[in-house]
Amino acid sequence: MRTYVVAGGTNGMGRGLALRFLHRGDHVTVVGSDPARGRRFLDEAAALGAADRVAFLRADLTSAAENVRVIKEIRARHDALDGLVCTAIRAFSRRVETPDGYEATFALYYVSRFLLAYGLADLLERGQNPMIVNICGVGVTKGRIHWDDLSLTRSYGSVKAMLQGGRATDLLGVAYALNHPDARTRYLLHHPGFTDSGTDNLKQPAKTVIKLLARLAAQPVDKAIAPIVELMDDPPGEGGLLAYDRRRPLESSLPTLDPATARRLYDLTSHLLPSDFRDSSSG
């Protein structure tokens, strides 16, 4: 019996993975922003006979303070974790600035995953075969980090923001592995491909377009999560970073996985880490 945290675990691939863990008898804490979805997930867990093995934490993961609160609650509940799965992502049609001064896509796609990974690192080290799973667009090389305007104050576009978030979360995995060279915890960057994860967060006309495309070309969630579960249960090699496009391993020499660039982004955002997280993260 293992213990997992799934950020973004009330819908899409996060929900699929959380339910898979519960089906096989594991403990799961799901984190999400929508209380109604959280209640529905708890009802699903109860129907599986897993009411005593599941918890829902409501949080706005675009906020650094909310991520820190979630970390503290998880640390109060558990002495060890076997996995942290980060799936929360949302497209913002207009620029939204978080209380921390970051553009909301960057905050959700990068900052939240950054804080959760480092904030739960010691609990993961005590788990069985522990792994951090970051569902992202690894392998995609479009987009870049806008170093002179990280929050896209001068020129915002939702696609531009998503691409920057994708490149940032790739670098997060690289930096985490660099900062924890002797860690037992593996870090998996996983590109699942086009998956029918729902369209509740989209507005029209994008919602209708994506629904139609999903009907025609998207894989179901159960198929998309299968290689992730396999890699979590039996990761290849020993230690460090894994990067996969579905079941295909990716080369660490990809320009989007450059160690020097990863270190630069870590240094630029490490002030967000509370001191007790930061002290144990630098390699």
Side-chain angles (χ1 to χ4, degrees):
M1 186 181 294
R2 298 182 182 182
T3 302
Y4 297 97
V5 172
V6 184
T10 59
N11 71 318
M13 290 183 63
R15 173 180 166 275
L17 284 162
L19 288 173
R20 180 71 63 88
F21 298 146
L22 289 174
H23 267 291
R24 66 186 196 182
D26 298 322
H27 286 82
V28 179
T29 295
V30 295
V31 186
S33 61
D34 187 334
R37 283 185 186 168
R39 286 192 296 271
R40 285 197 296 272
F41 187 85
L42 293 176
D43 289 343
E44 288 182 275
L48 295 173
D52 60 337
R53 293 186 282 105
V54 68
F56 167 66
L57 296 181
R58 185 196 176 282
D60 175 4
L61 293 176
T62 65
S63 160
E66 283 281 89
N67 280 276
V68 172
R69 176 180 64 81
V70 165
I71 291 164
K72 289 179 177 178
E73 290 196 31
I74 292 168
R75 294 173 72 90
R77 291 166 184 255
H78 302 290
D79 295 322
L81 293 174
D82 299 294
L84 166 66
V85 181
C86 298
T87 68
I89 188 58
R90 177 183 170 192
F92 294 85
S93 57
R94 295 182 180 180
R95 185 181 179 276
V96 175
E97 187 168 302
T98 71
D100 310 294
Y102 286 104
E103 183 273 319
T105 311
F106 185 82
L108 187 57
Y109 208 168
Y110 172 76
V111 174
S112 171
R113 301 177 187 215
F114 174 66
L115 290 171
L116 291 172
Y118 284 91
L120 298 172
D122 59 337
L123 269 65
L124 286 158
E125 282 298 291
R126 299 182 200 129
Q128 308 173 43
N129 205 24
M131 181 176 285
I132 298 169
V133 179
N134 195 331
I135 306 300
C136 57
V138 65
V140 174
T141 55
K142 292 181 179 178
R144 64 183 180 88
I145 306 296
H146 299 269
W147 299 104
D148 61 339
D149 187 23
L150 204 59
S151 289
L152 305 181
T153 58
R154 294 193 292 272
S155 174
Y156 178 80
S158 60
V159 173
K160 179 180 180 181
M162 287 290 285
L163 289 172
Q164 173 175 252
R167 303 295 67 74
T169 204
D170 288 353
L171 296 171
L172 167 57
V174 176
Y176 188 91
L178 290 172
N179 282 331
H180 300 85
D182 301 316
R184 295 175 57 247
T185 305
R186 307 297 299 274
Y187 197 113
L188 171 63
L189 294 168
H190 194 277
H191 185 351
F194 186 22
T195 302
D196 186 3
S197 296
T199 58
D200 290 350
N201 290 329
L202 299 176
K203 294 183 178 180
Q204 297 294 1
K207 188 170 187 174
T208 298
V209 172
I210 296 299
K211 269 189 175 180
L212 178 60
L213 288 173
R215 206 174 291 144
L216 295 172
Q219 62 183 333
V221 166
D222 281 351
K223 182 177 179 182
I225 67 174
I228 299 169
V229 175
E230 291 168 11
L231 286 164
M232 293 183 77
D233 288 346
D234 187 22
E238 294 183 5
L241 179 70
L242 297 168
Y244 274 75
D245 181 344
R246 284 148 279 201
R247 285 187 167 85
R248 180 171 64 90
L250 299 173
E251 295 293 333
S252 60
S253 59
L254 279 170
T256 48
L257 301 178
D258 175 59
T261 310
R263 172 59 66 184
R264 181 182 180 186
L265 183 61
Y266 173 83
D267 288 343
L268 189 63
T269 54
S270 62
H271 68 279
L272 291 166
L273 293 171
S275 58
D276 51 338
F277 302 164
R278 185 165 58 249
D279 291 345
S280 62
S281 66
S282 296

